[in-house]
């Protein structure tokens, strides 16, 4: 499903007999994130050198984008509540204004007997009360964008007025913090989806699309650039745009060579990609595209009315959402950083001797 491009101020076209009305605009507002409070150098990752050897990866931090990782001692519920409160504050919204919660995680703790308490804890900690809720997990690191698209559909259809989308994840087995495609960090991210913009950090959702290949869903498969091209084509057709009209692509923070290869194969230029957060933050599961959007806005890198693509790929799945930055979201670097809600940069633990950097 993709919703055509609409602009609230655009004049309405002639409504002939049987013509379908243009769908109402939907906005993404107040994106925020939190990271694991324990920031350390990549050399502290358990078994990194041995795993790199097993994966056939030369131990070159500059090549792969190995930098810092963020660990947390907090629960998934606490991370979710912290980012949700930051989003509500930034939007100037009260918890009672939210009538739906979409909660995303690559692995909800426990099973059916414990999920009720998990949701109850998140709802209580965020003050969302009796808001409707749904959970998304099967999209893995594309969960957040699936949640944003679901929230867009809820609002566009009139099912809900204001949807809170949260993704929250953490590594529970330190031996799995390094994979052959990314170094993982713990964290959470959130935003509000509604008909009108909420607060100064707001974006119009121009279009979105997803593509799947069920035969390619196994974790051992490669990320598909064919699916990315298919998604790009659908989004650009809906928006009436060319790929060069996209000013920036906010992708998952996988290893630099992998990101550059797959996104270039999808049709993007190196200049459209944002690689800085790969060594700075690591791969925060599904939260990366929203984190990268927040950080680029904080750095004053967004243009008023510029178009930016949130995108995430996992084996067998590609999902992307095209945003148009409203003028209030495209700030200059001189604006106060506290207005953006980006996570502060704590001190990094010193790299031990034998660093691979």
């Amino acid at each position: 499903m993709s919703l055509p491009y609409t602009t609230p101020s655009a004049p309405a076209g002639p409504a002939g007999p049987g013509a379908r009305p243009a769908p109402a605009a939907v906005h993404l507002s107040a994106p925020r994130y939190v990271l694991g409070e324990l920031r350390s150098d990549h050399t502290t990752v358990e078994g990194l050198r041995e795993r790199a050897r097993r994966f056939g990866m030369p131990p070159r931090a500059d090549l792969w984008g190995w930098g810092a990782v963020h660990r947390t001692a907090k629960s998934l519920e606490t991370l979710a509540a912290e980012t949700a409160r930051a989003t509500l504050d930034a939007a100037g919204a009260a918890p009672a204004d939210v009538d739906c919660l979409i909660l995303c995680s690559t692995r909800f703790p426990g099973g059916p007997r414990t999920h009720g308490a998990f949701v109850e804890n998140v709802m209580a900690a965020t003050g969302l009360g009796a808001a409707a809720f749904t959970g998304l997990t099967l999209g893995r690191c594309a969960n957040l964008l699936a949640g944003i698209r679901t929230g867009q559909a809820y609002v566009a259809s009139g099912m809900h007025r204001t949807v809170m989308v949260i993704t929250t994840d953490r590594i529970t087995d330190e031996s799995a913090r390094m994979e052959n495609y990314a170094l993982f960090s713990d964290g959470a991210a959130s935003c509000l989806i509604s008909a009108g913009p909420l607060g100064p950090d707001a974006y119009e959702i121009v279009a979105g699309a997803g593509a799947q290949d069920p035969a390619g869903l196994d974790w051992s498969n490669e990320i598909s650039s064919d699916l990315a091209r298919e998604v790009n084509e659908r989004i650009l057709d809906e928006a009436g745009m060319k790929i060069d009209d996209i000013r920036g692509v906010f992708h998952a923070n996988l290893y630099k060579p992998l990101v550059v290869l797959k996104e270039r194969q999808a049709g993007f230029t190196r200049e459209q990609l944002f690689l800085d957060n790969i060594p700075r933050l690591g791969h925060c599961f599904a939260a990366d595209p929203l984190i990268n959007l927040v950080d680029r806005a904080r750095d004053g890198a967004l243009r008023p009315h510029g178009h930016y693509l949130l995108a995430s790929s996992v084996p067998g799945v590609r999902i992307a959402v095209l945003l148009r930055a409203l003028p209030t979201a495209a700030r200059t670097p001189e604006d106060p950083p506290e207005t953006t809600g980006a996570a502060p940069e704590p001190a990094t633990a010193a790299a031990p001797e034998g660093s691979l950097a």
Side-chain angles (χ1 to χ4, degrees):
M1 182 201 78
S2 55
L3 299 177
Y5 173 74
T6 59
T7 303
S9 58
R20 292 185 299 173
V26 178
H27 291 79
L28 183 154
S29 300
R32 291 294 183 272
Y33 69 88
V34 297
L35 299 174
E37 67 280 7
L38 307 172
R39 184 176 186 267
S40 57
D41 190 80
H42 67 275
T43 53
T44 65
V45 172
E46 179 180 318
L48 183 141
R49 188 182 292 271
E50 292 74 17
R51 289 177 72 81
R53 185 181 302 113
R54 188 189 318 159
F55 295 144
M57 300 171 62
R60 289 182 49 194
D62 57 339
L63 171 64
W64 306 110
W66 296 342
V69 294
H70 292 254
R71 298 177 174 89
T72 188
K74 300 175 183 178
S75 67
L76 292 180
E77 297 100 310
T78 299
L79 292 173
E82 288 181 358
T83 188
R85 286 194 293 266
T87 284
L88 290 171
D89 289 346
D97 297 331
V98 177
D99 60 339
C100 178
L101 168 66
I102 297 176
L103 189 57
C104 311
S105 184
T106 57
R107 185 180 289 108
F108 290 115
R113 293 181 181 273
T114 61
H115 287 170
F118 177 77
V119 174
E120 180 186 7
N121 290 339
V122 172
M123 301 285 274
T126 54
L128 295 185
F133 65 88
T134 190
L136 291 176
T137 189
L138 293 180
R140 296 169 286 181
C141 291
N143 283 329
L144 173 65
L145 296 187
I148 288 173
R149 299 203 66 229
T150 301
Q152 178 193 11
Y154 283 170
V155 171
S157 68
M159 182 180 296
H160 294 289
R161 300 184 316 275
T162 304
V163 179
M164 169 79 76
V165 183
I166 302 174
T167 184
T168 180
D169 274 292
R170 56 169 295 181
I171 289 289
T172 56
D173 178 2
E174 282 297 322
S175 67
R177 192 167 290 280
M178 179 192 184
E179 293 290 353
N180 63 349
Y181 54 90
L183 285 181
F184 280 84
S185 281
D186 307 333
S190 55
C191 62
L192 291 173
I193 309 295
S194 57
L198 300 172
D201 298 332
Y203 306 82
E204 182 184 356
I205 300 178
V206 175
Q212 302 81 36
D213 174 18
L217 289 172
D218 188 85
W219 200 244
S220 63
N221 291 320
E222 290 188 7
I223 289 173
S224 171
S225 54
D226 290 337
L227 292 179
R229 286 192 294 270
E230 179 182 340
V231 167
N232 288 348
E233 181 178 354
R234 291 170 58 188
I235 286 177
L236 294 171
D237 284 349
E238 290 286 355
M241 294 169 54
K242 305 184 299 296
I243 198 166
D244 292 343
D245 296 328
I246 297 175
R247 289 192 170 273
V249 180
F250 302 135
H251 42 70
N253 295 333
L254 310 180
Y255 294 138
K256 283 184 177 181
L258 178 58
V259 169
V260 172
L261 173 65
K262 293 301 182 180
E263 297 301 336
R264 290 293 303 274
Q265 289 177 340
F268 297 110
T269 66
R270 171 62 179 79
E271 290 70 28
Q272 288 172 295
L273 308 182
F274 178 55
L275 306 176
D276 293 358
N277 271 353
I278 295 175
R280 195 176 78 87
L281 303 181
H283 177 39
C284 300
F285 296 84
D288 289 346
L290 212 58
I291 290 173
N292 295 339
L293 172 68
V294 170
D295 285 358
R296 292 302 274 167
R298 177 201 62 193
D299 294 339
L302 305 187
R303 297 285 188 88
H305 307 293
H307 290 84
Y308 300 92
L309 190 74
L310 308 180
S312 188
S313 292
V314 298
V317 177
R318 170 75 166 198
I319 302 178
V321 175
L322 183 64
L323 304 178
R324 182 176 68 88
L326 300 189
T328 51
R331 281 187 285 271
T332 64
E334 289 74 25
D335 287 325
E338 62 268 21
T339 63
T340 68
E345 191 81 11
T348 305
E353 293 184 7
S355 170
L356 301 181

